[in-house]
């Protein structure tokens, strides 16, 4: 009750809000509290304000912030030249980092909390970009780096389950290689790839741009 009052959140509105909104509103109060409980004393907590956590991963897994041995600094991702690959009137409308927390929330749309949490663990960095052109076509590019190849493989396998639940198995599978999948309908395309410890997801309403776009990623 104290947490809800301090946050100034209307619980009815919170319950009806999309998970990406409601869970992000509560994350600082719930996961943040668990994180702080890992500190030895108030001096250590005060010191953390001068060198705060750099990712939601470090909040979820306090040892990746507190431990010298397990400290895990997130990687910064530089996206390739998507603009040149797209051409035409495409324009980037939004860019952000999901982090482990929002990667998990994204997967929870069609996976169990446990499966989504396991798949999001091992996150080491990501970048998403949302593009749109004058014809109303849309594009979402999500690129992750994982701690290990096994973590990338776990995400890849989880995304296969994610797409199976999302599509009911009804979408055409235009590409079905070991580490590449390409689902298509008349008006939508989802491409998934894993290479080493990296994974790429491309979602678009313009199927014709996918191959040129994917070629920009090494």
């Amino acid at each position: 009750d104290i947490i809800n009052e301090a946050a100034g959140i209307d619980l009815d509105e919170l319950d009806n809000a999309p998970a990406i909104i409601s869970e992000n509103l509560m994350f600082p109060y719930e996961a943040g509290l668990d994180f702080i409980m890992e500190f030895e004393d108030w001096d250590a907590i005060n010191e953390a304000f001068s060198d705060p956590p750099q990712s939601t991963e470090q909040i979820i897994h306090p040892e990746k912030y507190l431990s010298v041995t397990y400290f895990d600094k997130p990687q910064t991702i530089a996206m390739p030249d998507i603009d040149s690959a797209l051409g035409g009137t495409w324009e980037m409308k939004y860019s952000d980092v999901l982090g482990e927390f929002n990667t998990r929330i994204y997967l929870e749309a069609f996976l169990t909390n446990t499966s989504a949490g396991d798949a999001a663990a091992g996150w080491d960095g990501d970048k998403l970009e949302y593009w749109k052109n004058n014809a109303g076509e849309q594009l979402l590019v999500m690129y992750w780096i994982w701690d290990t190849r096994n973590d990338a493989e776990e995400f890849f396998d989880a995304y296969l389950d994610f797409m199976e639940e999302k599509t009911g198995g009804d979408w055409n599978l235009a590409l079905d290689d070991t580490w590449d999948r390409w689902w298509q309908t008349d008006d939508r395309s989802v491409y998934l790839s894993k290479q080493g410890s990296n994974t790429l997801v491309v979602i678009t309403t313009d199927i014709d741009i996918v191959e040129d776009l994917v070629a920009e990623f090494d």
Side-chain angles (χ1 to χ4, degrees):
D1 290 341
I2 293 173
I3 290 175
N4 291 330
E5 183 177 348
I9 295 172
D10 185 311
L11 292 182
D12 290 335
E13 291 186 4
L14 185 65
D15 289 340
N16 293 324
I20 195 70
I21 295 175
S22 61
E23 294 198 34
N24 272 276
L25 284 172
M26 295 307 300
F27 182 80
Y29 303 97
E30 297 176 340
L33 177 59
D34 292 337
F35 175 77
I36 287 298
M37 294 297 289
E38 297 292 324
F39 286 73
E40 294 181 358
D41 52 42
W42 283 106
D43 288 339
I45 294 173
N46 290 332
E47 289 176 6
F49 279 95
S50 64
D51 184 23
Q54 301 174 35
S55 66
T56 55
E57 177 190 45
Q58 291 182 338
I59 298 292
I60 297 169
H61 310 282
E63 71 278 4
K64 294 189 176 185
Y65 171 81
L66 295 169
S67 170
V68 174
T69 303
Y70 298 106
F71 181 81
D72 193 354
K73 181 179 179 180
Q75 294 195 48
T76 301
I77 293 179
M79 295 289 250
D81 189 4
I82 293 177
D83 192 21
S84 295
L86 296 176
T89 60
W90 286 96
E91 181 180 355
M92 186 173 68
K93 299 294 187 179
Y94 182 75
S95 176
D96 206 347
V97 174
L98 285 169
E100 178 179 337
F101 180 61
N102 282 321
T103 297
R104 190 201 79 199
I105 293 176
Y106 171 63
L107 294 174
E108 284 177 349
F110 293 101
L111 296 178
T112 66
N113 292 359
T114 300
S115 297
D118 290 344
W123 176 94
D124 203 33
D126 79 82
K127 188 70 174 289
L128 72 82
E129 291 184 1
Y130 169 67
W131 293 70
K132 194 173 183 179
N133 65 14
N134 289 350
E137 300 283 3
Q138 300 178 76
L139 166 69
L140 180 64
V141 181
M142 296 182 285
Y143 189 50
W144 287 268
I145 296 178
W146 302 91
D147 287 330
T148 67
R149 289 172 178 262
N150 286 340
D151 291 319
E153 182 175 341
E154 188 171 15
F155 174 85
F156 184 93
D157 290 340
Y159 206 88
L160 296 181
D161 294 336
F162 176 94
M163 286 300 297
E164 181 67 23
E165 290 296 319
K166 176 182 175 66
T167 68
D170 292 335
W171 288 26
N172 175 48
L173 197 55
L175 179 62
D176 188 7
D177 291 340
T178 303
W179 298 118
D180 295 274
R181 298 290 195 281
W182 192 0
W183 296 269
Q184 296 179 1
T185 65
D186 291 339
D187 61 355
R188 186 152 312 174
S189 167
V190 177
Y191 174 86
L192 167 68
S193 178
K194 183 195 86 73
Q195 188 173 67
S197 58
N198 301 341
T199 56
L200 171 67
V201 172
V202 176
I203 304 173
T204 182
T205 57
D206 186 351
I207 294 175
D208 295 334
I209 66 173
V210 174
E211 292 188 31
D212 288 342
L213 174 61
V214 170
E216 292 293 324
F217 288 83
D218 184 4

